[in-house]
Amino acid sequence: MIHRHKGLGLTTKTLCLTLAVMGLILSVIITLSESYKQLHEQTRNLATSEMESLMTSVRLVQQSESLGNLGVRLTSATTHSARRRALIDLTDRMTWVGQLTNRLARQGGEPELIEQVRQTLHQLEQNTAELNLSVSERIDGNTDPGLQRHIEALSSNNRELSGQLGVLVGYFSANTRRQMVSQSEMLASDIQTQRYNLIALSLVVLLFALLTGIYFEFRIVRRILHLERTVRSPKVDIDAFDTLGGDEISRLSKTVRSYVQRIQSHEAQMRKAHQEMTYLAEHDTLTGLANRRHFQAAARRLLRESRQPLCIAIGDLDYFKRINDRYGHAAGDQVLVDLARLLEKGIRESDVLARFGGEEFAFILPVGSLEDAQKVIEKLRTRLAEHSIAAAPNQSIHLSMSFGLALVDASNLEQPLDDQRLETLLDSALRAADEALYSAKHNGRNQVELAPETLYANAI
Amino acid sequence: MQMRSNQASIRRAVTACLMLLLALCVPFSAQASEHIRLGIQLEPPSLDPTRTAAVSASEITWCNLFEGLTFVNGEGQLRPRLAKSWTLSDDQLQYRFELRHDIRFHDGRTFNAEVAEFALQRLLDPGNANPQLEWYKQITGVKATDEYSLEITLKRPDAMLPFALSLPAAVMVHPDSAANNGEHPVGTGPYRFAGWEKGHSVTLLRNDDYWGKRPALHEARFLFMRTSVGTENMLAEGLVDGLLSVTRVGNRFLLRPDYRMSPRQLQSKMILAINNGRPPFDNLQVRRALSHAIDRQNLSQLYGPQFKPQLIGSHFPPSHPAYVDLVDRYPYDPERAKTLLREAGVEPGTRIALTIPPTDYGRYGGLMVAEDLERIGFRVELEQLDWSRWLSQVFKQKDYALTLIMHVEPMDLNIYARDNYYFNYDNTRFKAIWEQVLNAASETELHRLLGEAQRQLAEDAVNVFLFMRPEQNLMHRQLRGMWEKSPIPSFVLEDVYWAP
């Protein structure tokens, strides 16, 4: 018997394993999606805000550079129209530079540098306003050399401030580019890490799936095969069933085992009943001796098989009615039982003894001749006559029996007897023995009488 | 039974896992095509269109964030919105609006007739300075008769009231959030306010609890384009998906395959507004001189040679049946202008300031106007103001001489009848005409009176009426669903989507 600890049911285990596998796969997916999300975020950040920062700073550089040219345009304006146009363009660009600077500040540029850019821009705005006024004065006809010098100084200052602005925002641009490079390197290394993670996680999932498969092979498939083999074997070994576990296969095994046990127990009962019935059909219930039916079957068998003649003898207890009348039927029955034991002891192993009914007994004795049989029966009769039987407490009685013997010879036949001839032979033998018994009774009882002739099978 | 419940639990677990997987997948897809970035020139000082005259406030919020009882749809038709229907009494003095049920503001508060009554009473209170108050002057009473019925009584019949109630200035606001709507607007619309990065952008997000159809776009960002060069940069790099008004730079971008022109049905009138109360412009002759001085034909080429804007001679769109062609009332004639100035005693070389808003037309139109004015003897200095300063200094305090400005509100002739409007127009005669306009018995009479009103403005040369702005927005070629026929200055997002 396979011993197993009681545990969780298969369904629960299957559910647990399925959930475990699903959980594992899910956690892999979540981990992957999280890492992809992270990568996605990084890429997006790189593509949007970093790229935007870079573009913003590059735009800023361009715009700062163009401020210098616009300043020159303002300085060289000879009409108010040209002056205004230059001023409008300058203001537009300076506003845009201011906006871009704010953008850069929001994107996380270095505050001190941003402040420096703002201050420079503010100085540029003031310088431009002053330049505009001076240029306007010049256009209105003021030819004072002092004014011209002032304009030149302002213009040069404008160029210097624009240049400074360009240098400052150029630093942003370079910085952002550097940041982008380092971020993209980081991204590449992250992608590599995620690749390894993916491989490792996939291996874990595969290993787990494999282990689950092995577990199912051992915990389910093999046990079912074992059950099948146990049930299939010609002689089912009850102890081979795996019944100590608590799972469904163990329960199935238990059910099958109890089923097999029931079948086996039914089989045994049937066999016993059959034996009993066979016994009852062939034996006399009182004495346990063979009955007439068994006697006849045995006689037929012996007639068919025996290589020597058979003596058919019938014995009848003398004056049995008197015992019944005097001691009662129970005592009479007991006498019959004792008598049967006595008779049994007196015959040979190869002989057959049967109770034919009432106080009548029959014998089949394979013998060489009728005389041999007579010796056996005579010995029996003598022993009985000398023996006393207790019919009742302290009441021993002496019994006697009369016997009629007939010899049948079915040996040396060229071909086996057919059923009908066998029956005829047996009937004749019994009748002859009966007739001899009658003679014995008639001649005064307690004696053995022989049938006058041997009955030969080939004479039938 | 045990088996079945186990199977059921497995099935549940599998379903849960699939749902989780789906949930994990969703955020990575369907994102890019749900955003829109729109360039808008003027950053409004407030996002409450019931409190500010800045049209950009209504461009951002109207029918996106805020909704009125009625609205004009993309086909230009007047329809109920937060109202289900309305009826007019036989004497035409009482409107009864049946309101929709189950409308909620973005903060979860309920909209009902009481809220509508509050919103309209707030509109009518002169202390709240509603920019379009003139439209509602004939209302004498607003009353919630039951939870979802609103009664509006008038002092005289006004067939235009349902239209007036569709204007951005009449959107529904809740008493608990109205005071804060300028900074953090709370409406009932399909989009809710997500943030305002001053100087940069306003962001709206789809309102997933919206009572009506769910819009396709998840996020809309209105970016303020304060400079021409900035606009050009942003367009060049694809940092905006469209511009909410025509600009000089737009044309160039039509060369690119990703932009196209998308028409609008606005009635944007470009004028050189004159402070009629400030010398020398309190003199009619000086104002007429200005009208002769401006070369409108030349100025109308501001946006590029392919646009042929319609010139105007008064504050009225040529598309209206009551339009009177007064374009030639003051033909371009600098000599005549100079004569008029001389007669009015204006010395050559008189310095005047031309105040310009921070728009494309302001900057480049201003340059052209300045040259025209210098041609007749003025010395012009351009004064560039940012938009909130323009609104406070020019529009509210009326501290200006001349300003180049666009009036985009539909049917806004009534501004000339207003007291204390920034034109400082002494308008007794015009007011009389306008009173008649409001009481016009028939359409013919109405049109005749509107014609008279236009003529009066032209005669008084209140402003220099320049041209109708070409209403062509530069939009990304793949954008669809714009309300191109709506006369309301707005950019309604609810039908906008990206074509695949």
Side-chain angles (χ1 to χ4, degrees):
Chain A
M1 191 171 287
I2 297 165
H3 290 262
R4 244 182 252 291
H5 294 293
K6 290 223 171 198
L8 295 169
L10 269 184
T11 315
T12 318
K13 279 180 190 159
T14 312
L15 184 67
C16 287
L17 276 173
T18 312
L19 286 179
V21 171
M22 279 170 70
L24 202 63
I25 292 174
L26 205 64
S27 56
V28 169
I29 291 169
I30 290 172
T31 315
L32 281 180
S33 69
E34 273 305 308
S35 61
Y36 279 130
K37 204 163 127 187
Q38 208 185 322
L39 292 178
H40 174 83
E41 273 301 309
Q42 275 174 273
T43 322
R44 210 173 57 111
N45 189 35
L46 206 61
T48 55
S49 81
E50 290 293 317
M51 186 63 85
E52 211 178 302
S53 290
L54 183 65
M55 288 177 92
T56 308
S57 53
V58 169
R59 277 201 300 266
L60 255 175
V61 175
Q62 290 169 349
Q63 298 305 333
S64 307
E65 282 164 1
S66 73
L67 286 178
N69 297 334
L70 286 170
V72 173
R73 248 178 66 195
L74 178 63
T75 311
S76 57
T78 51
T79 62
H80 286 298
S81 177
R83 172 184 61 85
R84 274 195 302 263
R85 203 162 287 275
L87 183 65
I88 285 281
D89 283 343
L90 253 177
T91 315
D92 195 49
R93 275 199 166 65
M94 283 190 293
T95 311
W96 177 230
V97 168
Q99 252 183 303
L100 288 173
T101 311
N102 291 344
R103 201 76 222 119
L104 217 52
R106 262 191 294 268
Q107 284 160 3
E110 290 164 58
E112 281 174 26
L113 214 63
I114 297 267
E115 194 45 47
Q116 222 174 324
V117 170
R118 281 185 179 144
Q119 272 174 16
T120 313
L121 190 61
H122 184 64
Q123 283 172 16
L124 189 63
E125 278 166 357
Q126 285 179 330
N127 198 67
T128 304
E130 211 175 323
L131 183 63
N132 176 49
L133 284 176
S134 302
V135 170
S136 175
E137 228 175 292
R138 191 188 63 197
I139 294 170
D140 283 342
N142 187 338
T143 51
D144 179 10
L147 178 69
Q148 190 53 35
R149 272 199 302 280
H150 186 55
I151 287 174
E152 271 158 27
L154 285 170
S155 174
S156 139
N157 200 19
N158 232 32
R159 272 198 304 278
E160 178 55 28
L161 287 168
S162 306
Q164 279 179 15
L165 206 58
V167 168
L168 285 171
V169 294
Y171 169 77
F172 274 120
S173 170
N175 212 19
T176 315
R177 202 172 300 135
R178 214 170 20 249
Q179 271 179 14
M180 277 182 82
V181 170
S182 92
Q183 282 219 2
S184 76
E185 277 166 2
M186 239 170 70
L187 186 65
S189 104
D190 279 357
I191 288 172
Q192 191 62 20
T193 315
Q194 298 302 351
R195 239 188 71 206
Y196 290 137
N197 286 350
L198 175 63
I199 293 169
L201 284 170
S202 307
L203 284 177
V204 169
V205 172
L206 279 176
L207 186 68
F208 194 81
L210 187 70
L211 288 176
T212 311
I214 292 171
Y215 177 81
F216 276 113
E217 168 67 21
F218 280 92
R219 291 293 285 136
I220 298 170
V221 179
R222 297 218 168 180
R223 286 167 64 204
I224 288 174
L225 285 175
H226 172 76
L227 178 63
E228 193 253 353
R229 270 198 305 276
T230 311
V231 175
R232 203 179 48 196
S233 73
K235 180 154 170 48
V236 182
D237 178 9
I238 289 294
D239 291 342
F241 283 107
D242 157 23
T243 56
L244 281 189
D247 63 15
E248 285 80 351
I249 293 183
S250 293
R251 286 209 297 274
L252 173 68
S253 216
K254 267 183 215 162
T255 311
V256 173
R257 189 182 69 156
S258 88
Y259 201 66
V260 167
Q261 269 179 326
R262 272 211 307 278
I263 290 171
Q264 284 184 342
S265 136
H266 282 163
E267 223 173 46
Q269 280 174 6
M270 298 256 297
R271 211 166 24 240
K272 200 174 155 207
H274 183 253
Q275 278 168 354
E276 276 174 11
M277 278 172 64
T278 314
Y279 184 84
L280 285 173
E282 296 182 344
H283 290 82
D284 166 42
T285 46
L286 179 65
T287 60
L289 297 179
N291 60 13
R292 180 189 282 271
R293 194 182 130 96
H294 188 184
F295 178 86
Q296 280 179 327
R300 277 194 287 272
R301 179 168 50 79
L302 287 169
L303 281 173
R304 225 180 247 128
E305 295 169 359
S306 184
R307 299 276 170 243
Q308 57 187 117
L310 298 178
C311 171
I312 304 293
I314 298 178
D316 190 81
L317 193 62
D318 298 332
Y319 304 114
F320 181 63
K321 193 170 175 307
R322 286 189 201 158
I323 298 170
N324 268 348
D325 293 348
R326 187 161 167 193
Y327 302 106
H329 284 284
D333 285 352
Q334 187 53 51
V335 166
L336 287 174
V337 170
D338 292 347
L339 175 65
R341 298 289 84 77
L342 207 66
L343 294 176
E344 268 178 333
K345 279 180 198 159
I347 58 168
R348 299 166 306 175
E349 188 92 355
S350 57
D351 300 340
V352 177
L353 169 63
R355 184 182 169 215
F356 255 31
E359 63 275 29
E360 195 174 59
F361 296 86
F363 302 81
I364 308 170
L365 311 165
V367 289
S369 64
L370 193 57
E371 286 71 32
D372 289 348
Q374 188 182 7
K375 276 183 200 155
V376 174
I377 297 299
E378 194 57 48
K379 212 163 122 191
L380 207 57
R381 185 196 64 75
T382 321
R383 187 185 293 172
L384 182 66
E386 288 164 0
H387 201 83
S388 65
I389 286 176
N394 310 319
Q395 289 279 339
S396 287
I397 52 166
H398 286 274
L399 297 175
S400 71
M401 261 182 104
S402 305
F403 295 93
L405 277 59
L407 194 67
V408 187
D409 192 353
S411 60
N412 304 323
L413 284 176
E414 279 166 12
Q415 54 188 38
L417 282 167
D418 61 34
D419 287 354
Q420 204 185 343
R421 284 173 64 200
L422 196 65
E423 279 312 309
T424 316
L425 185 62
L426 187 57
D427 282 353
S428 310
L430 282 171
R431 201 159 47 242
D434 209 36
E435 278 166 12
L437 173 64
Y438 184 77
S439 304
K441 288 278 181 187
H442 189 74
N443 294 340
R445 296 180 171 87
N446 193 20
Q447 55 188 278
V448 177
E449 220 28 81
L450 303 179
E453 288 172 356
T454 301
L455 294 154
Y456 288 102
N458 34 14
I460 301 294
Chain B
M1 200 55 216
Q2 159 115 35
M3 206 58 198
R4 194 161 305 156
S5 77
N6 277 336
Q7 277 175 358
S9 60
I10 290 172
R11 211 170 300 136
R12 268 200 299 277
V14 170
T15 315
C17 293
L18 286 176
M19 298 285 282
L20 194 60
L21 277 180
L22 273 178
L24 285 169
C25 295
V26 166
F28 295 113
S29 58
Q31 282 280 307
S33 63
E34 293 196 353
H35 293 174
I36 190 173
R37 298 155 305 173
L38 297 159
I40 195 164
Q41 288 199 56
L42 297 171
E43 180 168 16
S46 150
L47 287 175
D48 182 352
T50 69
R51 299 294 290 271
T52 176
V55 164
S56 46
S58 66
E59 282 186 312
I60 295 169
T61 62
W62 188 75
C63 276
N64 295 331
L65 219 150
F66 290 117
E67 297 172 298
L69 295 178
T70 63
F71 77 119
V72 180
N73 68 13
E75 295 302 311
Q77 299 151 329
L78 182 68
R79 293 281 182 270
R81 184 104 177 180
L82 292 184
K84 276 194 293 196
S85 60
W86 67 82
T87 50
L88 181 58
S89 65
D90 292 340
D91 62 2
Q92 302 197 7
L93 288 176
Q94 195 171 68
Y95 277 95
R96 188 181 168 83
F97 286 86
E98 292 302 326
L99 308 186
R100 281 183 187 279
H101 298 205
D102 303 324
I103 303 281
R104 284 185 182 279
F105 282 86
H106 301 147
D107 58 3
R109 294 192 165 89
T110 318
F111 169 74
N112 56 25
E114 253 178 62
V115 173
E117 183 189 324
F118 161 81
L120 292 181
Q121 295 288 12
R122 178 172 170 273
L123 183 165
L124 295 172
D125 180 355
N128 285 327
N130 188 291
Q132 305 293 337
L133 186 58
E134 206 65 31
W135 278 99
Y136 314 98
K137 280 274 175 73
Q138 62 285 13
I139 296 176
T140 51
V142 180
K143 193 167 178 288
T145 50
D146 64 50
E147 203 181 351
Y148 295 106
S149 304
L150 188 75
E151 241 172 46
I152 300 177
T153 40
L154 309 174
K155 62 182 169 207
R156 59 168 167 259
D158 180 10
M160 289 300 275
L161 185 76
F163 171 75
L165 289 175
S166 79
L167 293 175
V171 293
M172 291 294 119
V173 295
H174 195 279
D176 294 344
S177 50
N180 212 15
N181 276 347
E183 288 295 313
H184 190 290
V186 175
T188 57
Y191 285 87
R192 60 187 170 77
F193 176 76
W196 183 0
E197 204 180 313
K198 293 278 170 75
H200 181 251
S201 63
V202 165
T203 306
L204 306 184
L205 285 176
R206 184 168 53 210
N207 169 21
D208 288 323
D209 300 324
Y210 183 55
W211 59 272
K213 194 189 81 178
R214 178 185 152 96
L217 298 176
H218 172 256
E219 187 190 293
R221 181 167 287 182
F222 293 87
L223 296 146
F224 304 118
M225 320 289 270
R226 288 155 58 192
T227 62
S228 297
V229 64
T231 308
E232 206 166 344
N233 273 191
M234 303 274 278
L235 281 173
E237 286 165 27
L239 294 174
V240 279
D241 304 315
L243 296 180
L244 287 199
S245 65
V246 68
T247 57
R248 273 158 29 94
V249 297
N251 301 320
R252 246 173 271 160
F253 284 90
L254 288 178
L255 292 172
R256 280 173 48 154
D258 52 349
Y259 291 109
R260 69 179 173 99
M261 284 293 176
S262 156
R264 291 212 293 191
Q265 291 295 324
L266 296 190
Q267 299 170 356
S268 310
K269 298 145 287 256
M270 169 96 91
I271 59 172
L272 174 66
I274 303 171
N275 187 343
N276 283 232
R278 177 176 287 195
F281 306 110
D282 53 348
N283 184 333
L284 175 61
Q285 269 184 309
V286 176
R287 294 201 301 273
R288 285 182 172 170
L290 293 184
S291 291
H292 282 297
I294 307 298
D295 182 357
R296 281 172 285 174
Q297 199 62 52
N298 179 45
L299 190 61
S300 71
Q301 296 307 298
L302 173 66
Y303 293 115
Q306 74 273 45
F307 293 114
K308 306 259 179 287
Q310 283 179 292
L311 304 185
I312 48 173
S314 186
H315 197 103
F316 209 75
S319 56
H320 195 282
Y323 173 72
V324 179
D325 186 354
L326 296 161
V327 175
D328 295 328
R329 170 68 184 82
Y330 301 103
Y332 173 55
D333 188 347
E335 291 313 313
R336 178 101 183 264
K338 278 192 213 166
T339 312
L340 283 168
L341 285 184
R342 210 168 35 244
E343 284 169 13
V346 177
E347 294 293 320
T350 301
R351 288 178 179 269
I352 52 169
L354 171 59
T355 308
I356 51 175
T359 59
D360 206 48
Y361 68 77
R363 282 184 286 272
Y364 299 99
L367 285 173
M368 294 158 103
V369 169
E371 276 170 41
D372 284 345
L373 293 176
E374 289 202 330
R375 206 164 286 132
I376 62 165
F378 285 113
R379 272 295 316 280
V380 182
E381 211 42 62
L382 291 180
E383 189 185 12
Q384 299 189 66
L385 295 185
D386 66 35
W387 186 230
S388 56
R389 268 198 61 206
W390 188 95
L391 283 168
S392 65
Q393 185 181 319
V394 178
F395 190 74
K396 284 204 182 111
Q397 295 161 26
K398 293 167 272 203
D399 178 13
Y400 76 108
L402 300 172
T403 187
L404 192 62
I405 193 72
M406 190 82 69
H407 277 248
V408 302
E409 294 85 1
M411 290 305 297
D412 59 346
L413 200 55
N414 63 25
I415 54 177
Y416 292 86
R418 294 184 195 178
D419 291 326
N420 299 319
Y421 203 63
Y422 77 104
F423 305 144
N424 274 330
Y425 172 42
D426 176 16
N427 52 4
T428 326
R429 288 187 61 191
F430 184 83
K431 268 186 181 166
I433 297 170
W434 196 250
E435 190 60 26
Q436 285 178 284
V437 166
L438 292 176
N439 288 302
S442 68
E443 198 168 3
T444 322
E445 196 192 344
L446 177 72
H447 289 176
R448 186 184 59 76
L449 288 162
L450 284 172
E452 209 173 302
Q454 292 168 57
R455 280 193 195 89
Q456 185 63 48
L457 294 182
E459 285 311 310
D460 287 342
V462 183
N463 295 315
V464 185
F465 305 104
L466 300 168
F467 56 85
M468 300 297 292
R469 179 174 65 177
E471 289 303 334
Q472 294 283 330
N473 292 344
L474 189 71
M475 285 286 151
H476 197 282
R477 198 166 283 278
Q478 299 306 110
L479 273 177
R480 301 277 191 282
M482 277 80 76
W483 285 17
E484 293 176 346
K485 291 181 182 162
S486 173
I488 310 275
S490 59
F491 191 87
V492 181
L493 295 160
E494 63 181 52
D495 292 332
V496 177
Y497 65 97
W498 286 97

